[in-house]
Amino acid sequence: METSTLLPTTLVGSYPQPDWLIDRERLGERLPPRVPAPEIWRVPEPWLEQAQDDATLLALRDFELAGIDIVTDGEIRRESYSNRFASMLGGLDLADPGVFVERVGIENLAPRVVGPVRREGPVQVRDVEFLRRHTDRPVKITVPGPFTMGQQTQDEHYGDERGLALDLAAAVNAEIRDLFAAGADVVQIDEPYLQARPEKAREYGVEVVDRAVESIEGTIALHMCFGYAHFKLGRPVGYSFLEELNASSVDQISIEAAEPRLDPSILKQVREKTVILGVLDLGDPDVESPAVVAGRIRSALEFVPPERLVLAPDCGMKYLPRAVAFGKLQALVAGTRMVRAELGDSSGS
Amino acid sequence: MLTYSDLPLLPTKTLGSHAVPSWMWLVRDAVAKGEFGPADLEEALLDAVELALRELTEAGLDIVSDGEFLRADFTSNFHDRIAGLEPLTPRRQLGYPGPDQVDAFRCTAPLSVPGGYGLLREIELLRTRTTKPFITPLQGPVTQAFRIDPGDIYETKGDVAWALAPLVNAELRAAAAAGARHVQIDEPAFWIMPGGLPEMVDVFNASVEGVEATIELHLCFGNFRGRPAVSERSYAAFAPYFCELSADVLHLEFANRSMAECELWSQHGADKILCAGVVDVKGRSVETPEIVANRIRTLLRFVRPEKLWLAPDCGFSQTARSLTAGKLDSLVAGAAIVRRELG
């Protein structure tokens, strides 16, 4: 079920969790957790799942109310985009973690790879089924990418980053298969470290991404970014690993563009794939106007045809205040509708 | 004044309050400990409203509500909005549930509601959040008076009710003007007026006079921690007065009374709509759709189908959430079974 709307809107993935659900200070004062971080939840077991389900419905309500075309689960059940999936893999020890160096140059706790990495069972199937049961809109679900997960570990087993990443890719592949079977319309692989570690990405990035989506029927997106606005330092000038992705078999490439004021001519590098373009600056605590959003879309349309363009926030919205996140989604939809109208498409306006 | 023109046959509705999510109890504890500010509580309450609306809508009810999460004892209840009252400490706080555990109040001045009962805010929110018909429930003056000691200000609880009736009336008129199309007056304490049931009718009619909306009166036998408030649960004495009530819809509880007294409606229903409780909110198992269908079939021996609406016996505020979900599903499925039979 792909949307037929011109210039569809979507999320990159995450959405703010309610303050009754998580302790925002504990979440925000630390780097995104790569190993379990149960201390961020305000609601203890055994009530946590019900509370997470409720908060997921609230996120979905916001997406529907704002008019987002392709919704996600807001990643409400996750402490970070990656650690929930990683914590369910065999071969990783998260209870007695190691360390790795984050892209911002700081050490963070990381899973220790202590044996062959295997998916021991479906991780996010229930999340997709839950979404499918509660919305008629097309749904996207994100999974952490094998390249990025591999970088966020302390390897004590493989001694070969490519080998580790390929096994992670096999685990992701099995998961993606199950997510489509459960009713996902789009599965997105989050690979911010393709951008953070471009040398290694050039060595084996495309290979492991392709392994992750091997013989999968269904729309696959891949997200890259420069890191959460909440944490990052400085402003990059462009992507160091974008053109290379033309060779991969993913269908859509999601990139952050608004906050770094990305030169839209870079989109010429994406030759056939759909671009999920970030048109919401998540580092700006103010809600941009629809006109600003429309302006960003128009600049992109100089370099990519409307049929290959999907609009989104720059990145996950997890670290924003709820009201700001909702306001930005409204601006995203309103700005997109302005441009649709200019293109002579009135759907959804 | 019935405001509906496009309800299905045997429409289903909520009575107002909805089951409380488990995390709301944690929120309440956090508020009590001073860990949550007013804005934090507000966020949680508005979330609870959204969830109630979504659950009622997804269950397929024809008439929904906000779950009454903007009131209840999470923030303030109706009595906190009434000026001229002082709270009394419950005489007993421990042990099995009893009426001496209910908070009570004493009059210290003539009663007024300076900021209103709060319905306008609820209506404003609901109008932006649902396209479905919704009810605007309000505890009636008699039931409000039930918990009020007249003190030195009034002679009897009946006088207190009469003092509250114009306040309720003003609130309901304002609610209708603000877009409430269906008000529901809750009077589980309908038997307390000194002048008996005829006086109950008079107070009710005064409360709803000039209110331009569908007017429903909910008469039940109370629900305190999942138990009825009274031990003699019969409508027989009141039924002869039904025709004098200025209500379009009467809601009566039947499910937890094994459908007793359905036959009263043949003689006393007049031209009103019966909104019948066919799901037992106090029972701790989920009745099957077929059981609900049977209850509806029993009612249809005495009520014309076009005059019958279906609902739970009472609100779900004292019912476990998992039971509530099942009971709503059975309500809707049971109604669907009988609709099919009626063609």
Side-chain angles (χ1 to χ4, degrees):
Chain A
M1 180 172 56
E2 270 275 32
T3 174
S4 59
T5 313
L6 192 66
L7 301 177
T9 53
T10 190
L11 278 293
V12 165
S14 69
Y15 196 66
Q17 291 142 313
D19 283 325
W20 51 259
L21 179 62
I22 57 149
D23 187 328
R24 189 164 290 278
E25 273 180 39
R26 283 194 187 159
L27 179 73
E29 74 194 4
R30 54 168 300 160
L31 291 161
R34 314 301 180 191
V35 297
E39 67 276 8
I40 73 157
W41 302 105
R42 273 189 203 283
V43 179
E45 300 288 1
W47 301 291
L48 184 56
E49 183 176 89
Q50 187 188 118
Q52 290 172 338
D53 284 352
D54 283 348
T56 302
L57 288 178
L58 293 164
L60 193 54
R61 181 279 319 258
D62 275 11
F63 305 153
E64 291 177 349
L65 214 55
I68 298 293
D69 299 301
I70 303 162
V71 300
T72 68
D73 66 349
E75 300 179 12
I76 297 295
R77 301 178 183 89
R78 307 189 200 178
E79 293 149 6
S80 75
Y81 67 92
S82 63
N83 76 338
R84 184 150 171 273
F85 185 76
S87 67
M88 303 294 272
L89 296 178
L92 299 185
D93 183 347
L94 288 82
D96 179 20
V99 293
F100 84 111
V101 179
E102 293 271 352
R103 69 198 304 178
V104 290
I106 304 170
E107 277 194 350
N108 195 4
L109 294 181
R112 272 188 319 123
V113 183
V114 295
V117 172
R118 298 284 180 268
R119 190 186 74 139
E120 292 179 333
V123 182
Q124 297 171 185
V125 164
R126 180 180 176 274
D127 306 354
V128 172
E129 290 170 345
F130 183 89
L131 265 184
R132 196 67 291 160
R133 194 159 64 243
H134 289 284
T135 187
D136 297 328
R137 297 189 185 221
V139 303
K140 176 167 87 174
I141 188 91
T142 63
V143 290
F147 182 87
T148 300
M149 265 193 293
Q151 293 297 308
Q152 296 174 353
T153 56
Q154 177 175 309
D155 176 25
E156 296 172 6
H157 175 76
Y158 286 85
D160 162 23
E161 291 192 0
R162 178 174 159 275
L164 166 60
L166 281 171
D167 274 2
L168 284 163
V172 170
N173 182 268
E175 180 75 4
I176 293 176
R177 218 171 276 278
D178 286 346
L179 298 178
F180 278 120
D185 298 290
V186 182
V187 175
Q188 177 179 296
I189 304 170
D190 290 332
E191 285 285 23
Y193 272 61
L194 287 178
Q195 168 59 30
R197 308 269 159 88
E199 299 304 323
K200 288 176 182 173
R202 269 188 275 278
E203 280 174 39
Y204 62 90
V206 168
E207 180 188 4
V208 299
V209 166
D210 279 353
R211 174 66 189 92
V213 301
E214 190 178 296
S215 59
I216 300 265
E217 302 276 329
T219 306
I220 300 279
L222 182 145
H223 173 69
M224 274 198 309
C225 63
F226 304 107
Y228 288 110
H230 180 77
F231 297 104
K232 70 186 162 202
L233 324 156
R235 175 175 291 176
V237 289
Y239 283 89
S240 34
F241 192 79
L242 184 59
E243 189 144 27
E244 291 83 345
L245 285 171
N246 285 307
S248 80
S249 46
V250 303
D251 306 294
Q252 307 183 336
I253 299 175
S254 160
I255 54 169
E256 166 185 359
E259 197 209 347
R261 307 288 184 264
L262 197 72
D263 175 355
S265 69
I266 196 175
L267 297 176
K268 284 191 292 189
Q269 294 179 19
V270 183
R271 286 185 292 273
E272 284 165 18
K273 300 183 189 304
T274 293
V275 174
I276 303 174
L277 184 71
V279 291
L280 294 176
D281 175 355
L282 305 186
D284 180 355
D286 293 326
V287 173
E288 44 266 90
S289 70
V292 165
V293 172
R296 290 171 181 159
I297 299 171
R298 284 188 209 106
S299 329
L301 284 172
E302 292 175 29
F303 302 98
V304 60
E307 297 74 26
R308 286 204 285 120
L309 191 59
V310 175
L311 290 324
D314 265 359
C315 196
M317 303 182 96
K318 192 183 201 73
Y319 291 95
L320 271 63
R322 283 176 84 183
V324 172
F326 183 64
K328 282 178 181 278
L329 289 186
Q330 289 179 306
L332 169 63
V333 171
T336 302
R337 285 179 182 168
M338 288 167 70
V339 180
R340 275 183 204 153
E342 292 160 13
L343 295 174
D345 184 305
S346 60
S347 58
S349 56
Chain B
M1 180 183 90
L2 260 188
T3 52
Y4 291 101
S5 55
D6 52 357
L7 284 175
L9 193 66
L10 304 178
T12 52
K13 75 178 275 282
T14 167
L15 258 284
S17 68
H18 195 63
V20 181
S22 53
W23 51 267
M24 279 294 291
W25 298 105
L26 304 172
V27 167
R28 188 157 86 161
D29 292 346
V31 171
K33 282 190 257 171
E35 294 169 357
F36 271 37
D40 304 317
L41 175 60
E42 175 87 355
E43 177 183 347
L45 294 174
L46 290 174
D47 284 349
V49 168
E50 298 290 351
L51 290 165
L53 262 181
R54 189 144 196 139
E55 284 172 16
L56 294 167
T57 305
E58 287 189 1
L61 267 69
D62 299 301
I63 302 171
V64 300
S65 76
D66 65 2
E68 298 187 10
F69 284 113
L70 298 184
R71 30 174 113 164
D73 33 15
F74 284 101
T75 41
S76 58
N77 59 33
F78 291 129
H79 291 85
D80 294 324
R81 296 177 175 275
I82 304 173
L85 291 180
E86 64 175 357
L88 304 174
T89 308
R91 299 218 322 277
R92 185 166 63 88
Q93 308 230 19
L94 308 178
Y96 295 113
D100 51 355
Q101 288 179 323
V102 182
D103 290 335
F105 306 86
R106 184 190 293 122
C107 290
T108 56
L111 300 181
S112 63
V113 197
Y117 285 99
L119 299 190
L120 299 191
R121 178 171 177 247
E122 296 175 357
I123 295 161
E124 196 181 336
L125 180 67
L126 276 167
R127 290 185 65 181
T128 64
R129 286 297 187 273
T130 185
T131 53
K132 293 207 127 195
F134 59 85
I135 57 164
T136 299
L138 179 61
Q139 206 176 80
V142 175
T143 300
Q144 289 180 41
F146 178 55
R147 288 168 65 190
I148 298 175
D149 179 331
D152 298 329
I153 310 298
Y154 302 101
E155 293 283 319
T156 64
K157 280 188 192 292
D159 294 335
V160 174
W162 277 111
L164 291 166
L167 308 180
V168 167
N169 184 252
E171 183 80 8
L172 294 177
R173 285 179 187 230
R181 296 173 57 79
H182 181 164
V183 301
Q184 174 188 296
I185 295 85
D186 301 331
E187 288 285 27
F190 61 88
W191 37 270
I192 69 160
M193 292 303 285
L197 296 168
E199 191 180 7
M200 168 68 216
V201 172
D202 292 341
V203 180
F204 174 76
N205 288 348
S207 307
V208 299
E209 193 196 339
V211 176
E212 307 261 321
T214 296
I215 293 172
E216 176 168 357
L217 173 59
H218 164 53
L219 298 171
C220 73
F221 301 101
N223 181 10
F224 179 55
R225 299 189 194 170
R227 292 294 305 154
V230 294
S231 299
E232 170 65 6
R233 297 185 286 277
S234 170
Y235 294 112
F238 201 0
Y241 301 97
F242 285 171
C243 62
E244 295 174 28
L245 289 162
S246 303
D248 307 297
V249 185
L250 280 190
H251 177 277
L252 308 178
E253 62 170 296
F254 287 105
N256 94 101
R257 296 162 58 252
S258 299
M259 307 309 288
E261 302 185 333
C262 291
E263 69 283 359
L264 289 174
W265 199 259
S266 323
Q267 192 184 342
H268 300 294
D271 59 346
K272 294 188 193 314
I273 287 165
L274 173 63
C275 184
V278 292
V279 164
D280 178 6
V281 303
K282 299 163 208 170
R284 290 183 185 156
S285 66
V286 175
E287 44 271 85
T288 62
E290 193 49 46
I291 287 173
V292 174
N294 265 331
R295 290 171 180 167
I296 301 169
R297 292 184 195 111
T298 304
L299 285 156
L300 285 172
R301 290 161 53 202
F302 308 101
V303 191
R304 283 183 290 137
E306 60 275 17
K307 292 289 186 187
L308 183 61
W309 292 6
L310 304 168
D313 272 354
C314 198
F316 280 114
S317 66
Q318 327 263 312
T319 307
R321 197 177 182 199
S322 55
L323 289 178
T324 299
K327 283 170 180 283
L328 286 173
D329 288 344
S330 288
L331 170 63
V332 171
I337 291 171
V338 181
R339 272 180 206 157
R340 277 198 298 277
E341 289 168 5
L342 295 173

